[in-house]
Amino acid sequence: MRAISYTRATDVHSAVEAVTSDPGSSFLAGGTTEVDLLRLDVLRPHRLVDINRLPLTGVEERADGGLLIGALARMSEVAEDPAVVERYPMLSQALLLGASAQLRHMASMGGNLMQRVRCAYYRDPESACNKRVPGSGCSALEGVHRGHAILGTSEHCIATHPSDLAVALVALDAVVHVEGMDGARTIPVDDFFLLPGDTPEREHPLTPGELITAIEVPALSMARRSLYLKVRDRESYEFALASAAAALALEDGVVREVRLALGGVATKPWRARRAEDVLMGERADDAAFTRAATAELAPATTRPMNAFKAELARRTLVRALRTVATTGGGTA
Ligand SMILES: Cc1cc2nc3c(=O)[nH]c(=O)nc-3n(C[C@H](O)[C@H](O)[C@H](O)COP(=O)(O)OP(=O)(O)OC[C@H]3O[C@@H](n4cnc5c(N)ncnc54)[C@H](O)[C@@H]3O)c2cc1C
Ligand code: SF4
């Protein structure tokens, strides 16, 4: 194994400076992705900058009634936070349906947003992969692509974004707080994830060394009636084949406000704006839910092995909407 040096940062500035000044460095949070890929020789940092001592933990109340979640808060801690469970059930459910209990105790919120793609070709240094080696080709296009994306794809990459958390955050219009050598800035979570286009190796708008410090979830009273529904090959410990985050505000059975996002089917956490537009002002019934889901999946580009995902995503979105409309959310 290659030699890797390790330093532990004690403040945000020194952590940012350490990685910015040395492009061969990488932040280390829970290590559940970073160490995994380092062992596979897919990531090759020569120095890890451990950020676990930085004061970026906890869930804090904001003046507007929203929450500021520290980048180093653990997935399990946030999933069980009473304010998250009560005000944003879809967020709590998305976290609890991700990975395993052991991983959720280790894995941080910032690390979850920055986790790498789960495409098997990306994780195999012998395979062509434009994300790992730009310009080398995409083995998934003609290879095994059952789990791959049908929305937001390009001829250069069809990998799905793996994070469940990010799907809920994009539906909630959350904002990512980051800090770099030029100071702090915020990025709406929908802009934080880039489509692959011609540059699949570029997944975020971060400059090298920029650190996620927190995730801000704005106040949204309708999110109390919300759901994250995840469909996967196994009941637990598995990434989504299709998932849906849904929040609904109804008035006399009519949709007054709606927030929707899809996971497991797109190259980024997918805000389902077409479906939202179809539903606004409609009666909250199965016919409208089906029209909305069909509109969202209309631009899907499928391949032989993942063609089933268009119908699966449509049904997942309809079921999520029906559940929120009839029960207010609860468990998926
Ligand atoms: C077997 C398995 C199953 C899983 N299943 C799921 C699942 O179903 N759903 C799901 O959503 N996730 C799943 N995951 C992914 C898991 O949630 C992530 O591995 C985890 O959230 C990453 O967090 P971490 O703190 O361990 O990050 P690390 O591994 O420490 O870091 C990951 C990446 O993020 C960077 N990074 C970390 N923190 C920051 C920061 N604050 N600012 C900038 N960069 C940063 C690191 O440099 C690294 O590149 C699974 C993982 C495994 C191993
Ligand atoms: S789908 Fe993306 S990650 Fe997978 S092999 Fe193709 S370029 Fe690489």
Side-chain angles (χ1 to χ4, degrees), residues 27 29-34 99 108 111-112 114-115 163-164 212 230 239:
F27 295 122
T32 61
T33 291
E34 184 73 27
S108 67
N112 186 293
M114 294 296 288
Q115 67 177 287
S163 169
D164 293 297
I212 300 175
K230 180 171 177 178
F239 290 88

Side-chain angles (χ1 to χ4, degrees), residues 52-198:
N52 285 291
R53 293 263 170 98
L54 304 185
L56 304 174
T57 54
V59 179
E60 189 187 299
E61 296 277 344
R62 299 298 271 177
D64 71 352
L67 301 174
L68 189 70
I69 303 171
L72 286 167
R74 268 35 201 184
M75 287 170 70
S76 52
E77 173 194 346
V78 179
E80 283 151 24
D81 185 277
V84 174
V85 173
E86 192 186 327
R87 294 191 229 156
Y88 308 96
M90 68 154 79
L91 186 53
S92 173
Q93 293 156 6
L95 286 164
L96 288 174
L97 290 169
S100 64
Q102 291 93 331
L103 284 160
R104 291 194 294 271
H105 287 318
M106 284 295 290
S108 67
M109 296 290 280
N112 186 293
L113 298 189
M114 294 296 288
Q115 67 177 287
R116 305 312 295 265
V117 71
R118 298 304 289 197
C119 175
Y121 302 107
Y122 172 81
R123 299 170 74 84
D124 168 19
E126 303 296 314
S127 298
C129 170
N130 288 324
K131 226 181 234 312
R132 187 168 28 74
V133 182
S136 62
C138 170
S139 303
L141 291 174
E142 303 298 328
V144 178
H145 49 242
R146 175 177 179 269
H148 285 65
I150 57 173
L151 291 168
T153 56
S154 81
E155 60 187 284
H156 304 293
C157 182
I158 57 167
T160 48
H161 193 274
S163 169
D164 293 297
L165 163 67
V167 178
L169 291 177
V170 86
L172 294 167
D173 279 336
V175 170
V176 183
H177 289 236
V178 303
E179 186 135 345
M181 290 308 285
D182 295 332
R185 63 181 178 127
T186 55
I187 307 167
V189 76
D190 201 13
D191 299 335
F192 186 78
F193 298 101
L194 305 178
L195 290 170
D198 295 337

Side-chain angles (χ1 to χ4, degrees), residues 183-231:
R185 63 181 178 127
T186 55
I187 307 167
V189 76
D190 201 13
D191 299 335
F192 186 78
F193 298 101
L194 305 178
L195 290 170
D198 295 337
T199 52
E201 72 283 3
R202 191 162 155 66
E203 295 174 338
H204 313 99
L206 297 183
T207 56
E210 246 181 331
L211 177 77
I212 300 175
T213 54
I215 298 162
E216 185 174 350
V217 188
L220 184 70
S221 57
M222 67 183 286
R224 288 172 186 265
R225 289 172 63 89
S226 70
L227 176 78
Y228 185 74
L229 176 63
K230 180 171 177 178
V231 179

Side-chain angles (χ1 to χ4, degrees), residues 2-7 18-19 21-26 34 38 43-49:
R2 287 171 304 106
I4 297 167
S5 68
Y6 169 91
T7 53
V19 176
S21 63
D22 178 356
S25 302
S26 201
E34 184 73 27
L38 198 143
L43 295 180
R44 298 177 172 185
H46 61 238
R47 179 169 63 153
L48 292 176
V49 177

